[in-house]
Amino acid sequence: MIINSKTKVVGILGYPVDHSLSPAIFNYVFQKLNLNWCYLPFPFPSTHKISYFLECFKELNFVGLNVTMPYKEAVVPFLDEVSAFARIAEAVNVIHLQDGALVGYNTDGRGFVDSLKEVEEEGKDKTVVVLGAGGAARSAVLSLAMEGVKKIILVNRTQERGEKLVNLLRLRFPQIEAVAVGLSSEAKPFLAEADILVNATPVGMDGSSLPLDIETLSSLPPSSLVYDMIYSPLETPLLKWAKDTNRRSLNGLPMLLLQAQGSFQVWEGVELELNLLKEAAEFALRGS
Ligand code: NAP
């Protein structure tokens, strides 16, 4: 691939971004499809200068961005337009420079619910326990609500943040039961109700930490699905525990690929083949 003045530049904004597979995945796809596109990592440590970063991005006339931790919420006030779903979720993971305007979207929520199909699961009529109340959790919970989930139990370290999301759910989806609980032992009886447990915290990225203690986890029904949004490592301690206790499990890779497919759709209006994205992920994982 030759980089020249016509190369369309996209990338990922976050800090850190070392763990991200997106640059390797997208550049593999661009090469395979012979597209004059390039995907760059933008590790940006200065949270208070995020508007400056976005201004420069606009001036340089780049095509688009993926946004990851800790900026999904922080970018929202500096965008010219934000899609209805991203505004409700207060989380943007895709930005597109459209006719000089920065437009924010959210493809995480759709990616999350569609990824459940990988294990022939769906959110409709289910009781789902979600750990976390950040951008990824909010996107997942709102998409589950749109799919007709029966009950959401939100377990978060900062309980007020969980309660804020539960209040939003009660307002917009009054038919759904929604409860916020803290990370303490009070979460245990709620886990016994779960059809699906979703980890939407970064706990486990270190390869050694569990988001809940074993005693609390043990109250999950044996038939439940244990879903970890983390994809690096592919098998987190939570997923290892699920495997060891014969529960079904799913890591964050299918969601990553589906949100990537959604991102390219936003930037170019074209749906990338999921098989090509899977091939790219295998290539990226071999190199990481
Ligand atoms: P975020 O907005 O920073 O939210 C993080 C959430 O995790 C918050 O609710 C936070 O609780 C909680 N948390 C953080 N550290 C914790 C700890 N040590 N103990 C307990 N809770 C903790 O991050 P995010 O964007 O939602 O991402 C969350 C995770 O999902 C990350 O691992 C990310 O890589 C993953 N993700 C994966 C995909 C994918 O495509 N597979 C997409 C999006 C995100 P407080 O409210 O108390 O701070």
Side-chain angles (χ1 to χ4, degrees):
M1 185 166 59
I2 297 169
I3 307 272
N4 56 27
S5 60
K6 297 209 169 55
T7 303
K8 293 188 177 182
V9 179
V10 284
I12 182 161
L13 164 68
Y15 194 77
V17 290
D18 309 358
H19 69 281
S20 177
L21 291 179
S22 298
I25 290 174
F26 272 108
N27 286 321
Y28 180 94
V29 168
F30 297 156
Q31 211 147 10
K32 275 272 164 168
L33 299 179
N34 211 12
L35 297 177
N36 190 4
W37 285 58
C38 170
Y39 191 105
L40 299 172
F42 294 113
F44 192 73
S46 316
T47 318
H48 59 288
K49 286 192 183 161
I50 205 71
S51 62
Y52 170 71
F53 177 92
L54 292 171
E55 272 310 308
C56 294
F57 191 84
K58 215 176 189 177
E59 287 299 316
L60 289 164
N61 207 23
F62 289 164
V63 172
L65 272 179
N66 282 129
V67 185
T68 188
M69 282 192 308
Y71 295 127
K72 286 184 184 181
E73 212 173 325
V75 295
V76 174
F78 306 110
L79 301 177
D80 300 300
E81 278 174 57
V82 176
S83 76
F85 182 87
R87 187 160 298 284
I88 300 168
E90 293 173 27
V92 159
N93 73 304
V94 187
I95 297 175
H96 186 204
L97 184 59
Q98 279 171 266
D99 303 323
L102 290 173
V103 188
Y105 299 86
N106 182 310
T107 62
D108 277 342
R110 191 73 251 158
F112 170 76
V113 291
D114 285 350
S115 69
L116 289 171
K117 292 183 191 128
E118 281 279 316
V119 283
E120 290 164 23
E121 188 53 271
E122 59 173 359
K124 194 168 171 2
D125 298 328
K126 298 288 161 58
T127 294
V128 183
V129 174
V130 178
L131 310 179
R138 286 200 301 275
S139 311
V141 160
L142 289 168
S143 293
L144 282 168
M146 288 157 81
E147 291 287 295
V149 73
K150 183 174 135 208
K151 182 169 180 177
I152 294 281
I153 298 154
L154 208 91
V155 183
N156 196 43
R157 180 176 61 180
T158 311
Q159 203 169 336
E160 308 88 75
R161 209 171 171 200
E163 272 158 13
K164 193 175 158 220
L165 179 52
V166 159
N167 288 339
L168 175 72
L169 273 179
R170 286 185 184 139
L171 191 72
R172 294 205 169 245
F173 303 91
Q175 74 284 9
I176 295 171
E177 282 180 72
V179 196
V181 290
L183 261 182
S184 60
S185 55
E186 68 177 296
K188 196 174 172 199
F190 288 101
L191 257 71
E193 295 181 45
D195 296 303
I196 306 173
L197 170 74
V198 182
N199 179 32
T201 78
V203 183
M205 281 178 90
D206 61 0
S208 60
S209 313
L210 279 167
L212 291 170
D213 60 69
I214 299 270
E215 203 204 322
T216 306
L217 284 173
S218 303
S219 61
L220 271 180
S223 59
S224 56
L225 168 69
V226 179
Y227 187 126
D228 202 326
M229 283 196 188
I230 295 170
Y231 59 83
S232 176
L234 284 175
E235 188 180 78
T236 59
L238 177 65
L239 295 183
K240 181 166 186 324
W241 172 85
K243 199 167 88 184
D244 291 348
T245 58
N246 293 320
R247 286 171 173 87
R248 293 176 303 142
S249 63
L250 186 61
N251 65 30
L253 196 56
M255 176 176 170
L256 176 77
L257 301 184
L258 287 158
Q259 69 75 31
Q261 191 184 43
S263 302
F264 196 71
Q265 178 93 48
V266 166
W267 297 326
E268 191 63 354
V270 170
E271 187 168 284
L272 294 172
E273 288 279 339
L274 211 48
N275 279 340
L276 177 59
L277 285 161
K278 282 184 184 164
E279 184 185 308
E282 277 163 27
F283 165 81
L285 286 163
R286 276 200 303 274
S288 66

